[in-house]
Amino acid sequence: MKHIQPYYRFLNEKIEMASTHINGKRVESSWSGSADNLKDFIKLIENAPETLEYIKVTSSTSSFAPSSETFKSPINSSKKRKIIKIVKQMEKEFKSNGDAITSYRFNSYYGAGLSKKHEEDPAYIDYRTKKIDQFNKDMSSGKYGSLD
């Protein structure tokens, strides 16, 4: 029974569950991951455990230090609906700015399955776009000067 995957995983393979390797074994998260489209990402949010400590949702299109909203445990269906509403609004804002979201990410601050109580980890939601990826690349290359 341990190796049976949820049905939604077989319906659409565009959801990539977060994972890590521990002692040579691949450990996959039961709830965190990424998707390249909104429909699949909403499934991740809907299947999130209610026991997460909190979910921090990016709520602005800024590349540097974007605003966010935090939803504390329990993460019930009402909070999940609010989170989905923010994510949908962000998709519209990014599109109106000419920079569509290329990937949606829902991750634990502690990594995939690294804590003993992974279902109680704090989590965050953020987005990747071409402009954000380019900004990150430019920052790491020193284009804007030293980070010291």
Side-chain angles (χ1 to χ4, degrees), residues 21-114:
H21 286 83
I22 299 174
N23 297 327
K25 287 184 168 182
R26 186 172 189 259
V27 177
E28 188 173 276
S29 172
S30 60
W31 58 268
S32 67
S34 62
D36 60 1
N37 67 66
L38 183 60
K39 183 179 175 183
D40 291 330
F41 191 67
I42 288 172
K43 291 177 190 174
L44 279 177
I45 296 169
E46 291 172 341
N47 291 313
E50 287 191 15
T51 55
L52 292 173
E53 182 180 339
Y54 62 84
I55 299 176
K56 193 172 190 177
V57 184
T58 302
S59 59
S60 77
T61 59
S62 173
S63 295
F64 183 74
S67 302
S68 62
E69 292 188 39
T70 302
F71 297 87
K72 296 186 181 211
S73 185
I75 309 299
N76 55 31
S77 61
S78 172
K79 290 179 183 174
K80 289 177 184 180
R81 282 193 301 274
K82 290 176 184 175
I83 291 168
I84 291 167
K85 185 176 180 180
I86 292 170
V87 172
K88 286 179 175 180
Q89 180 61 36
M90 293 310 305
E91 180 185 43
K92 288 177 186 174
E93 287 184 31
F94 276 110
K95 276 186 181 177
S96 71
N97 291 344
D99 191 25
I101 295 173
T102 57
S103 179
Y104 302 82
R105 299 186 302 181
F106 182 24
N107 289 316
S108 164
Y109 279 103
Y110 301 148
L114 294 178

Side-chain angles (χ1 to χ4, degrees), residues 6-18:
Y7 181 67
Y8 72 90
R9 297 274 310 279
F10 293 106
L11 292 177
N12 200 330
E13 298 175 326
K14 295 183 191 233
I15 295 174
E16 184 177 328
M17 300 308 284

